[in-house]
């Protein structure tokens, strides 16, 4: 169970006991943002996309993911955002010795995998099949194509993963990356994006902020990582 922390409202000075929400990591372990004890709460005047989410690292597997920032409503009318401990002090089970200079988990927990055997892409369905095979190669189980793709925006679902595959000749857009991330958040799963034509600049930037793994595929069906989140996923696996 998450530990409660005392929070004092900066306006009315009333003290509250706050228990942060626990979320399920994609590895199955419980994941709770660590409130920075003694850190002053911030008064929320209005919500913005960037300030609504916080990066939390799982103690069990080292995976970093985005979750809603801890917030507390005071009876005096203020909405308070609570400070979260930085990642460098938030994972006692994943030591700095197991991280690279950029703070990404090292591949010590990764399972050795045989060489990936790609599937030649001739149609959009081939692209989906190639992405499904790659996710299984990474270690995700029960990866299947979705029947409700037009409504959900998700092409593949599996244990702990959702994926979108863009087989078009235009770069994948910002909105598509954000929708995939939200689908992953709702499913408590990793959202992975595959594109044949690459990504728009703002889509790539937002994926970096949200830690969404991005891959590009050529017609041989071999996915290549585009960002750090994709590199981490390859090293760590499912």
């Amino acid at each position: 169970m998450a530990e409660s922390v005392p929070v004092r409202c900066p306006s009315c000075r009333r003290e509250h006991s706050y228990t942060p929400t626990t979320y399920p990591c994609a590895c199955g372990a419980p994941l709770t943002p660590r409130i920075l004890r003694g850190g002053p709460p911030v008064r929320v005047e209005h919500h913005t996309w960037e300030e609504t989410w916080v990066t939390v690292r799982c103690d069990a597997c080292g995976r970093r993911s985005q979750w809603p920032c801890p917030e507390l409503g005071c009876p005096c009318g203020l909405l308070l955002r609570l400070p979260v401990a930085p990642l460098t002090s938030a994972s006692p089970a994943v030591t700095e010795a197991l991280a690279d200079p950029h703070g990404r988990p090292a591949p010590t927990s990764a399972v050795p995998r045989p060489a990936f055997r790609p599937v030649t892409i001739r149609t959009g369905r081939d692209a989906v099949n190639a992405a499904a095979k790659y996710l299984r190669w990474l270690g995700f189980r029960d990866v299947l194509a979705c029947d409700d793709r037009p409504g959900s925006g998700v092409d593949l679902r599996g244990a702990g993963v959702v994926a979108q595959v863009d087989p078009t000749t235009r770069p994948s857009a910002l909105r598509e990356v954000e929708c995939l991330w939200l689908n992953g958040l709702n499913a408590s799963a990793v959202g992975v994006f595959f594109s044949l034509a690459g990504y728009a600049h703002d889509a790539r930037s937002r994926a970096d902020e949200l830690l969404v793994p991005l891959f590009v595929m050529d017609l041989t069906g071999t996915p290549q990582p585009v960002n750090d989140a994709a590199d981490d996923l390859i090293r760590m696996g499912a």
Side-chain angles (χ1 to χ4, degrees):
M1 183 176 179
E3 181 181 0
S4 297
V5 295
V7 178
R8 184 180 297 277
C9 176
S11 178
C12 68
R13 312 303 297 172
R14 186 176 304 179
E15 187 166 289
H16 307 276
S17 179
Y18 176 80
T19 302
T21 302
T22 297
Y23 302 97
C25 179
C27 73
L31 187 153
T32 306
R34 285 181 172 79
I35 307 301
L36 186 62
R37 285 185 173 273
V42 177
R43 178 173 180 170
V44 180
E45 299 289 351
H46 63 279
H47 283 95
T48 63
W49 179 276
E50 290 79 8
E51 294 175 343
T52 303
W53 310 98
V54 63
T55 302
V56 183
R57 185 166 54 196
C58 177
D59 289 343
C61 70
R63 181 182 278 108
R64 296 180 297 171
S65 52
Q66 292 265 328
W67 297 100
C69 285
E71 293 182 349
L72 170 69
C74 181
C76 75
L78 283 187
L79 178 62
L80 306 173
R81 180 174 295 123
L82 309 183
V84 176
L87 289 182
T88 53
S89 61
S91 269
V94 180
T95 64
E96 292 304 312
L98 299 180
D100 71 9
H102 302 286
R104 299 192 297 264
T108 54
S109 63
V111 177
R113 294 185 295 267
F116 176 68
R117 296 183 177 181
V119 177
T120 301
I121 296 175
R122 298 183 179 87
T123 66
R125 176 54 60 181
D126 290 339
V128 173
N129 291 337
K133 184 174 183 180
Y134 191 76
L135 290 174
R136 297 186 194 105
W137 178 75
L138 287 173
F140 292 102
R141 296 175 289 105
D142 304 323
V143 178
L144 298 172
C146 299
D147 296 329
D148 59 346
R149 168 62 172 88
S152 68
V154 172
D155 294 288
L156 297 165
R157 291 184 186 274
V161 67
V162 295
Q164 182 168 339
V165 183
D166 185 355
T168 66
T169 57
R170 58 168 179 75
S172 301
L174 167 65
R175 182 176 181 277
E176 294 173 306
V177 170
E178 291 180 340
C179 286
L180 173 67
W181 176 75
L182 288 172
N183 274 298
L185 187 65
N186 290 334
S188 300
V190 178
V192 184
F193 207 116
F194 297 88
S195 176
L196 264 67
Y199 301 88
H201 178 73
D202 55 356
R204 167 72 184 274
S205 297
R206 182 54 56 86
D208 290 343
E209 294 171 3
L210 300 177
L211 304 179
V212 174
L214 301 181
F215 292 87
V216 293
M217 292 193 296
D218 57 26
L219 295 182
T220 68
T222 304
Q224 298 293 336
V226 171
N227 60 356
D228 289 344
D231 287 331
D232 291 343
L233 185 60
I234 293 173
R235 289 200 306 270
M236 297 297 294

